[in-house]
Amino acid sequence: MTIAVLPGSFDPVTMGHVDIATRAASLFDELILAVAHNSTKSPLLDVQTRLELASAAVKHLPNVTVAQTDGLLVEFCKARGATAIVKGLRGGADYDYERPMALMNRSLTGIETVFVTGDSALAHVASSLVRDVARHGGDVSAYVPAGVVEALRTAG
Ligand code: PNS
């Protein structure tokens, strides 16, 4: 039984995340999408909203579950019996951002990070851009799963 964790802030979950979750779900027996705390960010959406939106976005994937984690990601992985962390890559900037985390997580516990290349049609889709476009009144419905547009509107 191979279990992997796909962590992130998911503020909000996007079609890019769903694409990576779909690809990773076909590689592992079980995938846990972990809504985690990034100490360098102040999320727009509260954690309960991010959890609900992420759960709805992957509910069609039978081997994917969604959970919250507040502590060290590697400890969450150990507690859940996960042997891999999955991260999506849109391009080189993502790799530069992810590489130190992958090295740190492996240094801490030996857990490997598996990088999955996302759909090139979604390479411009990032939670930060979605928030910014939505904040300025733009239409982000093509980039996010159902329910996210309304949640962003409510959050202001
Ligand atoms: O979507 P993000 O914000 O880029 O995801 C980053 C995240 C949440 C995966 C990262 O900040 C994280 O792993 N946080 C949990 C705490 C932790 O383990 N920190 C050390 C990372 S090497």
Side-chain angles (χ1 to χ4, degrees):
M1 176 89 157
T2 55
I3 303 173
V5 170
L6 172 58
S9 300
F10 301 103
D11 183 38
V13 67
T14 68
M15 296 312 288
H17 294 128
V18 176
D19 173 48
I20 298 299
T22 305
R23 293 174 196 282
S26 71
L27 299 175
F28 300 95
D29 296 317
E30 206 181 292
L31 181 73
I32 305 166
L33 191 154
V35 179
H37 178 68
N38 184 334
S39 54
T40 70
K41 294 178 179 173
S42 301
L44 172 67
L45 302 175
D46 63 60
V47 69
Q48 195 53 40
T49 303
R50 285 181 281 142
L51 276 167
E52 285 170 12
L53 292 172
S55 299
V58 296
K59 69 172 190 298
H60 60 290
L61 299 170
N63 62 335
V64 181
T65 56
V66 176
Q68 182 191 354
T69 171
D70 288 322
L72 264 187
L73 181 63
V74 289
E75 293 302 330
F76 176 81
C77 292
K78 220 189 304 179
R80 295 301 187 102
T83 52
I85 293 167
V86 176
K87 294 289 186 84
L89 293 184
R90 287 164 298 201
D94 280 353
Y95 181 70
D96 289 345
Y97 171 70
E98 296 293 348
R99 186 170 182 265
M101 285 193 273
L103 290 172
M104 178 57 82
N105 286 328
R106 187 166 64 192
S107 173
L108 288 170
T109 58
I111 194 162
E112 294 288 353
T113 296
V114 175
F115 293 113
V116 174
T117 309
D119 185 341
S120 59
L122 297 170
H124 57 301
V125 178
S127 296
S128 55
L129 288 181
V130 163
R131 289 194 305 273
D132 198 42
V133 172
R135 185 181 299 122
H136 291 93
D139 179 8
V140 294
S141 57
Y143 316 121
V144 292
V148 172
V149 171
E150 189 52 38
L152 289 173
R153 198 174 293 134
T154 305

